[in-house]
Amino acid sequence: MNIIPGNASPILSSRIAEKTGGRLIEVEYRRFPDGELYVRVKEVPNECVVVQSINSNDDLVYLILILDALENSDVTLVVPYMGYARQDKRFLDGEAVSIRAVAKILESYAERIYTVNIHSKDAESWFRKLENLDAMPLIGERYKDKDVVMIAPDKGSLERVKVAAKYAGCDYDYLEKKRVDAETVEIFPKNLEVEGRDVVIIDDIVSTGGTIVEAVKSLEVKSVEVACVHAVLAGNALNRIYSAGVRKLMATDTVEKAVSEITVSPLISEVLQC
Ligand code: R5P
């Protein structure tokens, strides 16, 4: 298996290569003085797997350039973190449905696409060739046999937390969340039996950290940890989260950050080998 490591996913690419016995192909990534990006894939195979998360505009442009460089190859695309998926519908007249635009571009190049915990069913629905993988079992296993309660910060995350809690073998519940704007959320506590317990807040994405900070404020618990799939961690999110009293934040390596200690490579390697 020939693996093309995207600029945003070098560690995960090498983990997938190790698990599958695949070969990493070297890619040159460069930025011109005016800010434009450049890609050269040093060897173009007949068939390959591209691994690239989209956690910034540069990541997206680099991905399009990689796919273009591979125009004569049969490409399986792995986008571990599918950015732009939160704009999955037109909320206001005149808005772009960003994930639809991304889907059109990626599907025009790739034969098949895999991602991990895409943000919503609506986002997923814009793709025809996409398979969405679930990292919640991997997160749940990290807490196996630990005396914790898993909490979803909103009802939308309830299905995810159910899966993680099943693999951990622990209790779960959820909070009521209302988004005021892109940076502000309000959390309404439910009548949870968590007082004095160790809580793990489970989410798909931690971006600004606003959701986590508000969730922590609404809980009166012994200790709080956070586990998420995608550690987007925009701006000083990590600082906000730790200052709010979170003991630990743990994420997968769909976005490669210092906190990305759970690898999704087994999940991805398995589907690539089918
Ligand atoms: C929202 O529906 C998601 O599941 C996350 O809760 C949200 O994207 C987190 O964003 P932030 O960290 O900016 O509050």
Side-chain angles (χ1 to χ4, degrees):
M1 187 182 301
N2 298 300
I3 298 172
I4 315 286
N7 68 293
S9 303
I11 300 173
L12 180 55
S13 297
S14 73
R15 288 174 176 157
I16 294 169
E18 200 182 317
K19 283 223 168 314
T20 58
R23 193 169 65 99
L24 287 169
I25 289 182
E26 197 185 336
V27 185
E28 182 183 348
Y29 295 104
R30 240 177 338 115
R31 184 183 298 277
F32 289 107
D34 61 2
E36 288 184 0
L37 302 176
Y38 166 96
V39 163
R40 180 168 167 247
V41 179
K42 297 267 176 93
E43 181 194 326
V44 177
N46 292 332
E47 254 184 68
C48 64
V49 176
V50 174
V51 184
Q52 168 75 331
S53 277
I54 303 171
N55 189 32
S56 69
N57 296 332
D58 279 2
D59 295 346
L60 177 59
V61 174
Y62 269 137
L63 176 55
I64 296 168
L65 299 184
I66 297 166
L67 292 171
D68 195 74
L70 295 166
E71 63 171 338
N72 295 322
S73 189
D74 175 296
V75 173
T76 297
L77 174 59
V78 179
V79 184
Y81 171 57
M82 186 70 77
Y84 282 98
R86 282 177 287 178
Q87 184 73 22
D88 55 8
K89 55 175 84 69
R90 185 166 285 140
F91 299 93
L92 298 172
D93 286 348
E95 280 184 346
V97 181
S98 311
I99 193 62
R100 175 177 60 182
V102 170
K104 278 183 191 165
I105 298 171
L106 302 187
E107 294 204 333
S108 72
Y109 285 105
E111 297 304 319
R112 56 206 79 76
I113 307 177
Y114 296 102
T115 192
V116 181
N117 293 96
I118 192 166
H119 179 63
S120 64
K121 286 267 169 230
D122 284 335
E124 191 177 350
S125 72
W126 294 112
F127 291 83
R128 286 173 300 114
K129 306 175 182 175
L130 183 74
E131 189 177 331
N132 184 34
L133 309 173
D134 188 9
M136 282 299 148
L138 295 171
I139 290 179
E141 274 162 12
R142 280 297 179 111
Y143 290 94
K144 203 170 166 57
D145 302 325
K146 293 196 176 150
D147 184 21
V148 296
V149 188
M150 291 188 161
I151 303 283
D154 54 34
K155 208 169 176 184
S157 293
L158 185 58
E159 288 311 308
R160 287 188 277 268
V161 86
K162 265 187 201 171
V163 177
K166 181 180 145 203
Y167 280 80
C170 69
D171 297 333
Y172 64 89
D173 212 325
Y174 70 97
L175 301 167
E176 299 279 5
K177 174 175 106 174
K178 188 175 150 211
R179 183 163 284 286
V180 180
D181 57 40
E183 308 224 333
T184 325
V185 292
E186 286 174 1
I187 302 257
F188 303 94
K190 289 186 70 217
N191 197 16
L192 299 166
E193 300 288 323
V194 293
E195 222 180 299
R197 305 243 357 231
D198 291 325
V199 161
V200 185
I201 301 173
I202 305 280
D203 212 346
D204 59 339
I205 304 169
V206 175
S207 180
T208 64
T211 301
I212 298 299
V213 169
E214 291 306 315
V216 171
K217 277 192 207 159
S218 75
L219 295 165
E220 283 182 17
V221 293
K222 199 163 113 204
S223 80
V224 184
E225 291 192 10
V226 175
C228 69
V229 182
H230 312 295
V232 170
L233 302 179
N236 67 341
L238 210 47
N239 186 282
R240 287 179 75 192
I241 290 166
Y242 287 128
S243 305
V246 170
R247 246 184 22 185
K248 177 177 173 145
L249 186 148
M250 176 163 67
T252 77
D253 54 1
T254 58
V255 180
E256 297 185 5
K257 295 275 166 81
V259 294
S260 308
E261 56 180 88
I262 303 171
T263 182
V264 293
S265 58
L267 205 63
I268 293 169
S269 302
E270 195 184 325
V271 292
L272 291 177
Q273 285 171 315
C274 278

